[in-house]
Structure formats: structure tokens, C-alpha cells
């Protein structure tokens, strides 16, 4: 049987899927600073659309370390709600994080059993 079809591999990917689903279970992701970041994206959108009441009191900070994330969230808010956009970006980030950890582990010749630890490392961001 091919390596990607092995029982352990199948169990790993199902566990990854279950972990991603934990992002989607609550109505709003239970993180302390995420609402503040999402509010900034909504403010940015309102500024760009010219409908922000306090536009003369604020300015965009293009030197923020969060600009990449905000830039990815902003276009999604035109398709889905801000909460759904955040959950989608978190899900994609989580899957990408695990995938890149696996690539790094392979490049360094690490043991395949280490892959399971990558499932927990991402959730340290909260």
C-alpha cells in the first residue's frame, strides 16, 4: 500500500481535519486579541470605502507586522463575513503550518512520528 494511504497517515490527516474543525465550532473564535485585529480590518475597509465616521482621527499604519494578515483578510470580507474570513484564514494557516513542518522534518531527515507534534504547536498562537 502506498505510504500516503497507510492507516497511520490516514489517522494523522483525519486528526488534522478534526483540529481544523475546532476553529469552526464556536460562533466566534475564543481568542483575546483576535477581535481587536478583526476590528482593525473592518475599520480599514470602512476607510477605503469612505464611510468611517472618524476618518480624520485615524491613519493607516503600513508598517504593522500584521499587514500581511490584514491584507489577506480584507478581500475576504467582501465575499464572507469578517468572522468567517478569520476562521478561513486560521484554517488555511493551520494546514499550511503543519504541511510546512512536515516538509522541514523530511528535509532534515527526522522521524515521521514527529509529525503528530506539529498538530499542537500551532495552537500556541492563542
Amino acid at each position: 500500500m502506498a505510504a500516503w494511504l497507510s492507516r497511520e497517515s490516514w489517522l494523522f490527516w483525519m486528526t488534522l481535519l478534526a483540529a481544523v474543525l475546532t476553529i469552526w465550532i464556536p460562533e466566534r473564535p475564543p481568542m483575546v486579541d483576535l477581535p481587536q485585529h478583526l476590528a482593525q480590518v473592518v475599520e480599514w475597509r470602512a476607510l477605503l470605502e469612505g464611510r468611517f465616521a472618524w476618518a480624520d482621527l485615524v491613519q493607516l499604519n503600513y508598517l504593522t507586522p500584521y499587514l500581511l494578515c490584514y491584507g489577506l483578510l480584507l478581500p475576504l470580507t467582501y465575499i464572507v463575513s469578517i468572522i468567517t474570513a478569520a476562521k478561513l484564514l486560521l484554517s488555511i494557516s493551520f494546514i499550511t503550518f503543519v504541511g510546512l513542518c512536515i516538509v522541514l522534518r523530511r528535509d532534515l531527515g527526522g522521524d515521521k512520528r514527529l509529525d503528530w507534534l506539529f498538530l499542537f504547536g500551532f495552537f500556541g498562537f492563542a
Side-chain angles (χ1 to χ4, degrees):
M1 186 183 315
W4 61 274
L5 288 177
S6 70
R7 188 168 76 180
E8 181 182 349
S9 181
W10 180 83
L11 183 61
F12 175 80
W13 292 111
M14 289 299 105
T15 305
L16 176 63
L17 178 63
V20 168
L21 290 176
T22 64
I23 295 171
W24 291 89
I25 291 171
E27 183 180 345
R28 292 177 189 87
M31 292 171 238
V32 175
D33 62 342
L34 185 64
Q36 296 168 6
H37 293 295
L38 298 183
Q40 290 177 15
V41 173
V42 171
E43 177 186 330
W44 188 13
R45 179 177 168 175
L47 277 168
L48 292 174
E49 294 173 355
R51 57 177 179 80
F52 191 64
W54 299 280
D56 56 331
L57 300 175
V58 297
Q59 64 183 13
L60 292 175
N61 178 9
Y62 293 107
L63 298 177
T64 179
Y66 304 110
L67 187 61
L68 176 62
C69 183
Y70 292 170
L72 292 171
L73 273 175
L74 183 65
L76 286 174
T77 64
Y78 287 97
I79 302 167
V80 295
S81 72
I82 187 70
I83 298 295
T84 305
K87 288 181 178 184
L88 185 62
L89 193 59
L90 281 171
S91 299
I92 292 168
S93 299
F94 181 40
I95 293 167
T96 303
F97 171 81
V98 172
L100 290 175
C101 285
I102 290 171
V103 168
L104 182 62
R105 189 256 317 147
R106 285 180 186 160
D107 285 351
L108 296 175
D111 190 342
K112 185 173 172 49
R113 292 175 293 181
L114 289 172
D115 293 354
W116 288 94
L117 297 175
F118 305 145
L119 297 174
F120 303 103
F122 182 81
F123 287 103
F125 84 93

